[in-house]
Amino acid sequence: MIKIIGHKSPDTDSTGSPIIWAWYKKTICGVQAQPKLLGEPNPEARFVLDYWQFEKPEIISQVSDTDQLIIVDTNNPAELPANVNEAKILEIIDHHLLVGGLKTNTPLTMTIRPLACTATVMHELMGDAAKKMPDKIKGLMLSCILSDTLEFRSPTTTELDKTVAQDLALELKLDIPTYASKMFDAKSDEIVKIYSEAFPNEKARIVKHNRKLLMKNSVFAALLSPQGKYLFDFFVIKNDEGYLLDCDGSSVKEPVSYTHLRAHETVLDLVC
């Protein structure tokens, strides 16, 4: 049985894509495969699972040397089980920068495309078989694309992402703005506040904000390690007190807590 996994701290794409590809492998390819998660899905992903009536996949933390894996929505060993290189990696499907560090004992199939969402990559890989997707799988794929593109507002959005999502919505008779609003409202956004020396008495904390209001004045950015390694991406929003990072709070806490953005701008007392 092949295990299909995404990254730790699963978002909508990393929760939905393993389910989508497991359907494809079983139904179209005749290969036994199961989706697995590397942690609890975030609130938006849980909403999507409930909306399209999917059971939450089993959560695992480790793999073994007898496991056969398909890795989706990441190629970064830091986002995968510590012993991932012990397993037999059959395939990687991703849309992120190539990080390096994964090792295999046999050749594998790797697809990394400059698109905003892994689900879009999967739609292209399926070809004509995508027409056979049941509505539940179509809905899951649409949700992944809307999440990763922030309803097409993310600068990483491509015309292909948008076209695939719009076609899926049309087939499902779903209004994209209405559905996307439900998705984003379901997500409990974690916003890291970063304070500069202009606000010396303030302390950083996790707060909740309305995404629809924040996205109007935001800048897309990414944080790299001193060695230039990609850590995570986020939106920067300036407010009256400092700056906010719209990001996955579970993955951002450690790198941000020791990172000085500039000599006079740093994160103070980051708590969750």
Side-chain angles (χ1 to χ4, degrees):
M1 178 71 71
I2 297 172
K3 295 179 179 178
I4 305 179
I5 60 174
H7 56 71
K8 297 177 182 177
S9 303
D11 55 12
T12 299
D13 196 19
S14 208
T15 299
S17 288
I19 298 174
I20 294 168
W21 206 241
W23 169 84
Y24 175 74
K25 298 300 286 187
K26 289 187 290 185
T27 305
I28 305 301
C29 304
V31 176
Q32 291 301 306
Q34 289 183 339
K36 306 290 182 181
L37 297 180
L38 299 183
E40 286 290 340
N42 69 18
E44 180 189 273
R46 290 198 299 269
F47 165 82
V48 169
L49 290 177
D50 291 341
Y51 189 95
W52 296 104
Q53 299 181 339
F54 283 100
E55 291 187 7
K56 182 178 71 176
E58 178 188 7
I59 295 175
I60 62 174
S61 59
Q62 295 292 321
V63 294
S64 70
D65 57 5
T66 61
D67 283 333
Q68 295 181 308
L69 298 182
I70 295 177
I71 298 171
V72 302
D73 199 33
T74 185
N75 65 84
N76 186 348
E79 298 180 337
L80 296 165
N83 63 338
V84 66
N85 284 332
E86 297 175 10
K88 183 177 181 180
I89 302 173
L90 304 177
E91 185 175 14
I92 296 175
I93 305 172
D94 196 13
H95 67 111
H96 296 102
L97 299 175
L98 182 63
V99 175
L102 292 176
K103 298 179 181 179
T104 63
N105 295 321
T106 58
L108 78 162
T109 301
M110 177 180 285
T111 306
I112 301 178
R113 295 186 180 175
L115 299 169
C117 181
T118 300
T120 310
V121 180
M122 291 179 172
H123 186 275
E124 292 304 288
L125 291 176
M126 289 182 190
D128 289 340
K131 300 175 183 177
K132 299 180 181 180
M133 292 189 296
D135 284 354
K136 288 177 60 174
I137 295 295
K138 291 178 182 177
L140 201 54
M141 182 174 284
L142 172 62
S143 303
C144 292
I145 298 171
L146 292 177
S147 177
D148 269 11
T149 65
L150 291 175
E151 195 188 347
F152 315 134
R153 290 190 292 269
S154 169
T156 62
T157 305
T158 69
E159 284 302 314
L160 183 57
D161 293 297
K162 193 171 183 179
T163 297
V164 171
Q166 290 173 334
D167 288 347
L168 290 170
L170 187 63
E171 294 171 17
L172 293 167
K173 297 181 174 61
L174 206 62
D175 179 67
I176 285 180
T178 301
Y179 177 66
S181 180
K182 291 179 181 178
M183 282 179 52
F184 298 152
D185 286 346
K187 182 176 181 179
S188 177
D189 287 337
E190 291 182 298
I191 309 295
V192 181
K193 281 192 175 181
I194 299 181
Y195 294 92
S196 72
E197 62 185 5
F199 310 98
N201 297 322
E202 296 286 351
K203 293 185 177 182
R205 59 189 181 274
I206 301 295
V207 296
K208 299 183 187 299
H209 283 271
N210 185 315
R211 174 187 291 269
K212 289 181 289 187
L213 296 178
L214 290 175
M215 288 301 101
K216 293 180 180 179
N217 298 295
S218 62
V219 176
F220 185 73
L223 183 65
L224 305 180
S225 71
Q227 294 76 32
K229 181 180 179 181
Y230 169 88
L231 297 176
F232 59 88
D233 53 36
F234 50 89
F235 283 89
V236 182
I237 306 101
K238 190 178 187 310
N239 71 352
D240 293 337
E241 297 177 316
Y243 294 86
L244 308 176
L245 301 188
D246 181 2
C247 53
D248 179 355
S250 58
S251 64
V252 75
K253 287 186 294 183
E254 183 177 347
V256 168
S257 64
Y258 63 72
T259 300
H260 287 240
L261 302 184
R262 291 178 183 171
H264 60 286
E265 293 176 346
T266 186
V267 176
L268 304 174
D269 299 335
L270 181 64
V271 297
C272 289

